[in-house]
Amino acid sequence: MKRIVLGVQYDGTPWQGWQTQPNGKTVQDRLEAALQKFTQGPVDAICAGRTDSGVHALEQVVHFDTHLSREISSWVRGLNAFLPSSIAVRWAHELPVPVEGDVADRGARDQFHARFSATARTYHYVLYNNPVRSPLLEGKAGWVFRPLELEPMRRAAQHLVGTHDFSAFRAVECQAKSPVRTMDEVRIERRGDLIVFSLRANAFLHHMVRNIIGSLIYVGNGNKPPEWITELLLQRDRGLAAPTFMPDGLYLAQVAYDPKWQLPQQPTGLMPWL
């Protein structure tokens, strides 16, 4: 038995998120269908972090176990032959699976797990800030027609850095046991009419990034001062923060792991067109 780890990139526009659904219109459904065709048997794919409908991934990390022996390059070429144009396996890596009984659970240190072995996650949000919408960016970037000021948003973002209770930015349906997360970094850059938000944390709550972006936009358009973000963190009330912002510009950029796994990951760069 071996554990195969994949780096998967996808355009989330045509899909109803990562997690499998009865109608089969999810990234997980299509990837598992491709795996079944390639391996001639059912395969359960486990991802580093589930993405919502319309959310993209520059590098989602997935693992599955198999008895099948193939060259690493064959996993990439073979699976891509069965995947639609909006989903692609960018790399593959093989790791051993400990003998049953050697580890206490699937999160043990000696066993790689796409989700539980992750040490940090980075998301990018791409926002088009222009009075007129762009049809070329439909589904690929969020849109705000009112002018946004970067400096107030940057000052507001610094209040998010550190370990906090992020209940104010947590979806009602979030199933996480704790709302406490550690935000390592929030960067905001302007590239012409595009504003790129980059957030890195140990983990994210359901809709956390989109809820943060919505609130930072309130600061950027002058509706709220930068210090409002601190008030939201302290009040821990989702109803006081801005509404959940659109998913179009959200990208899972990279999932970080211990170097000992030697995953052939790509740099945390932006989209090829940025």
Side-chain angles (χ1 to χ4, degrees):
M1 180 69 73
K2 61 201 67 177
R3 180 154 292 182
I4 303 298
V5 187
L6 305 176
V8 182
Q9 190 172 97
Y10 51 84
D11 173 0
T13 306
W15 307 107
Q16 295 178 347
W18 162 266
Q19 191 173 16
T20 185
Q21 300 288 342
N23 59 22
K25 293 182 179 179
T26 71
V27 178
Q28 183 180 9
D29 290 319
R30 292 309 300 265
L31 180 61
E32 288 182 346
L35 283 165
Q36 182 166 358
K37 290 179 181 178
F38 187 69
T39 63
Q40 296 298 300
V43 176
D44 294 325
I46 299 173
C47 75
R50 293 174 293 182
T51 52
D52 293 333
S53 178
V55 176
H56 318 292
L58 300 179
E59 191 177 69
Q60 173 73 273
V61 177
V62 177
H63 86 256
F64 61 91
D65 295 338
T66 181
H67 290 286
L68 193 65
S69 293
R70 291 286 187 273
E71 294 291 333
I72 285 298
S73 59
S74 296
W75 286 108
V76 177
R77 296 196 307 270
L79 290 175
N80 285 339
F82 296 113
L83 287 170
S85 59
S86 57
I87 306 172
V89 175
R90 301 299 300 266
W91 54 262
H93 186 67
E94 182 179 318
L95 292 170
V97 177
V99 177
E100 187 174 354
D102 283 356
V103 292
D105 57 54
R106 62 181 179 175
R109 286 182 295 176
D110 293 333
Q111 185 177 25
F112 177 86
H113 191 282
R115 177 184 173 191
F116 298 126
S117 298
T119 58
R121 294 158 176 84
T122 299
Y123 279 89
H124 297 321
Y125 194 97
V126 181
L127 182 66
Y128 183 57
N129 189 204
N130 188 284
V132 181
R133 65 178 179 84
S134 169
L136 298 179
L137 295 175
E138 182 70 23
K140 301 297 188 298
W143 175 47
V144 170
F145 63 88
R146 292 188 178 91
L148 296 176
E149 294 293 332
L150 257 63
E151 287 311 313
M153 290 194 294
R154 285 171 173 160
R155 292 199 301 272
Q158 291 313 300
H159 295 289
L160 298 166
V161 176
T163 302
H164 305 287
D165 182 322
F166 283 93
S167 293
F169 304 103
R170 178 184 190 178
V172 174
E173 61 270 28
C174 181
Q175 298 178 356
K177 293 181 180 179
S178 170
V180 177
R181 295 291 185 268
T182 299
M183 186 76 75
D184 298 320
E185 182 182 38
V186 182
R187 291 185 289 108
I188 306 174
E189 302 175 2
R190 182 182 289 277
R191 303 188 178 205
D193 287 336
L194 295 177
I195 300 175
V196 181
F197 301 79
S198 297
L199 299 88
R200 178 184 169 93
N202 63 336
F204 288 87
L205 303 166
H206 191 198
H207 285 174
M208 179 173 159
V209 177
R210 291 166 58 192
N211 292 335
I212 286 174
I213 296 302
S215 294
L216 290 177
I217 289 171
Y218 270 28
V219 173
N221 64 21
N223 284 338
K224 296 289 184 178
E227 295 72 26
W228 178 59
I229 299 299
T230 295
E231 295 176 17
L232 294 176
L233 290 171
L234 294 175
Q235 291 169 324
R236 305 176 184 178
D237 186 343
R238 175 70 194 100
L240 298 178
T244 304
F245 202 61
M246 64 182 71
D248 304 48
L250 185 56
Y251 296 77
L252 173 58
Q254 190 179 59
V255 186
Y257 296 95
D258 191 307
K260 71 179 181 179
W261 302 117
Q262 299 182 341
L263 300 183
Q265 292 181 282
Q266 306 299 313
T268 56
L270 297 177
M271 290 56 67
W273 40 269
L274 273 181

